Amino acid sequence: MSADLQRVFSGIQPTGDLHLGNYLGAIKNFVALQKSHECIYCVVDMHALTEWQDPTELVGNIREVTAGFLSCGIDPKAHIVFNQSQVSQHAELAWIFNCVARMGWLNRMTQFKDKAGKNRENASTGLFTYPNLMAADILVYKATHVPVGEDQKQHLELARDIAKKFNNDFAQSIKAQGLEEEFFPIPEPLITGPATRVMSLRDGSRKMSKSEPSEMSRINLKDDADTIAKKIRKAKTDPQALPSEEKGLEGRPEADNLVGIFAALSDQSKAQVLKQFGGKQFSEFKPELAELAVSVLAPIGQEMARIADDSTYIEAVLSDGAERARAIAAPIMCDVRRIVGYIG
Ligand code: AMP
Ligand code: TRP
């Protein structure tokens, strides 16, 4: 890695349809970072297994998330696109991190609490230790920057704590090996743009999510133009006109969400959008939002359908990416093995 090129890593789980939240909170930023960084984008199939997946569906979902990356503009030649399970160093480092992270740290993770719900006894142990694997994903490449949506902030903080504890617990051994004192960099989260937390179109208090049963709650990247427009037309709103300033969005989660989506899709701030639409009714705003969303998303959906049909191409991209990812991860993992005191 050249000194001035910082390394970006991020991942998306192949557990359902990619949606507008994934696009605005993550993938759109992945695309932009390609200009300035060396990027590694991963389909995190091992993370998907933390909740049971139908194996046939999982294969299809891995291909589809890959097609999503490519159709949004990620360049698999200039950067790296691959699926996690092809690079065994992720699992190898995750085990070491299982032994570095503390029970107390994982017990605080709100995503585990949300996903496990009331039936915690029956959650997989993988779901509990999932943030350790996520830290391994990032640090096995010594990535310095991690673009994610707001919901991943706490996991990123944990990854930083793991990197610090490892560097500290093994400080003497790191020194004895003649390696840099800060062996693992402390990765920076990149949570940027006006839509870091896109909410459900049916309920402004819930996150837009792959697991929400109602299809009307989210716009999928695969949706065609009519479906996108219909979902926006039917999106929940309140009866007031749009405010002229951002402060006026407080306590109006649905309005805030739609304005944030408009802003992110048109590369503006919410304040700029409100300058244009302040005082207007949703009946005027929604058709404009629908037109904008269709113009940005429908071509992505078409491209996704085209690429998804070509599984030979997708698998070639993933295996080429995995090989290049391994070439970065293997020597780092080799150092880690010596640092912790393994033989061989
Ligand atoms: P996941 O689908 O959970 O694997 O998430 C993949 C990426 O999309 C992560 O960076 C998430 O933070 C981001 N993401 C998921 N849902 C949303 C949402 N509703 N709003 C913004 N970002 C999201
Ligand atoms: N946990 C992330 C999510 O559910 C996905 C993920 C796995 C990830 N490993 C990562 C994101 C490493 C960033 C970096 O959205």
Side-chain angles (χ1 to χ4, degrees):
M1 176 168 44
S2 78
D4 53 346
L5 207 60
Q6 296 166 320
R7 187 173 283 155
V8 161
F9 182 96
S10 197
I12 295 198
Q13 296 194 55
T15 47
D17 288 330
L18 286 176
H19 54 72
L20 185 63
N22 296 133
Y23 179 65
L24 296 178
I27 305 175
K28 190 174 192 295
N29 300 326
F30 297 0
V31 173
L33 286 162
Q34 295 182 111
K35 285 199 214 96
S36 48
H37 292 70
E38 174 194 351
C39 303
I40 306 176
Y41 295 129
C42 185
V43 183
V44 289
D45 46 9
M46 291 163 65
H47 275 92
L49 293 189
T50 56
E51 290 173 283
W52 191 81
Q53 304 294 320
D54 179 301
T56 318
E57 272 177 35
L58 182 60
V59 172
N61 284 334
I62 294 170
R63 290 197 187 114
E64 211 166 274
V65 173
T66 311
F69 280 166
L70 304 179
S71 43
C72 289
I74 290 170
D75 177 350
K77 288 213 154 63
H79 300 274
I80 294 180
V81 173
F82 75 107
N83 58 313
Q84 189 183 27
S85 61
Q86 289 207 59
V87 180
S88 59
Q89 284 82 1
H90 290 247
E92 195 179 351
L93 186 57
W95 176 257
I96 293 174
F97 287 172
N98 281 344
C99 304
V100 171
R102 306 288 91 183
M103 289 291 286
W105 299 0
L106 290 173
N107 273 331
R108 284 197 285 275
M109 295 295 115
T110 56
Q111 189 176 47
F112 175 75
K113 289 180 201 162
D114 290 348
K115 285 202 174 178
K118 289 201 182 71
N119 200 0
R120 211 179 275 194
E121 292 290 308
N122 200 35
S124 77
T125 52
L127 189 67
F128 186 68
T129 56
Y130 157 128
N132 298 341
L133 176 59
M134 177 163 163
D137 298 339
I138 299 163
L139 296 171
V140 84
Y141 302 100
K142 295 193 175 177
T144 53
H145 291 79
V146 185
V148 282
E150 239 272 319
D151 60 349
Q152 295 302 313
K153 193 168 173 216
Q154 199 184 29
H155 291 158
L156 251 297
E157 275 157 17
L158 189 93
R160 291 166 62 86
D161 289 342
I162 288 177
K164 285 181 205 158
K165 186 163 176 4
F166 182 96
N167 290 345
N168 192 51
D169 287 357
F170 294 100
Q172 283 194 356
S173 181
I174 291 169
K175 204 166 168 198
Q177 303 290 337
L179 296 163
E180 229 177 296
E181 199 177 322
E182 193 176 83
F183 177 76
F184 284 124
I186 312 304
E188 286 288 331
L190 297 175
I191 302 174
T192 50
T196 54
R197 188 176 174 81
V198 178
M199 308 309 280
S200 155
L201 299 179
R202 306 303 300 159
D203 177 351
S205 68
R206 293 170 69 87
K207 194 179 68 167
M208 185 178 284
S209 141
K210 291 169 184 162
S211 54
E212 182 72 37
S214 164
E215 278 291 325
M216 293 303 285
S217 70
R218 68 181 159 264
I219 295 175
N220 296 317
L221 290 188
K222 277 196 308 190
D223 285 345
D224 62 23
D226 287 348
T227 311
I228 296 170
K230 183 173 97 190
K231 287 179 176 174
I232 290 178
R233 213 167 45 240
K234 300 220 160 162
K236 187 174 168 204
T237 50
D238 57 38
Q240 299 166 54
L242 282 164
S244 311
E245 287 179 12
E246 252 185 287
K247 223 177 155 355
L249 292 171
E250 277 169 25
R252 298 179 64 188
E254 284 85 11
D256 189 18
N257 191 38
L258 294 182
V259 170
I261 292 172
F262 194 106
L265 284 172
S266 58
D267 292 313
Q268 299 182 80
S269 64
K270 287 190 205 175
Q272 285 170 310
V273 174
L274 292 177
K275 220 176 240 171
Q276 186 184 348
F277 289 101
K280 301 234 165 88
Q281 297 295 330
F282 280 103
S283 54
E284 267 183 82
F285 177 69
K286 276 183 167 181
E288 300 255 2
L289 176 58
E291 194 183 325
L292 171 65
V294 167
S295 74
V296 176
L297 302 174
I300 294 177
Q302 283 163 10
E303 183 65 1
M304 244 177 105
R306 193 185 68 77
I307 298 177
D309 269 348
D310 191 349
S311 56
T312 314
Y313 170 61
I314 292 183
E315 278 163 35
V317 165
L318 292 176
S319 87
D320 171 64
E323 198 178 315
R324 286 154 56 216
R326 251 180 254 125
I328 302 173
I332 295 174
M333 197 57 222
C334 232
D335 284 343
V336 173
R337 295 172 63 91
R338 283 191 288 124
I339 290 169
V340 302
Y342 288 164
I343 291 182

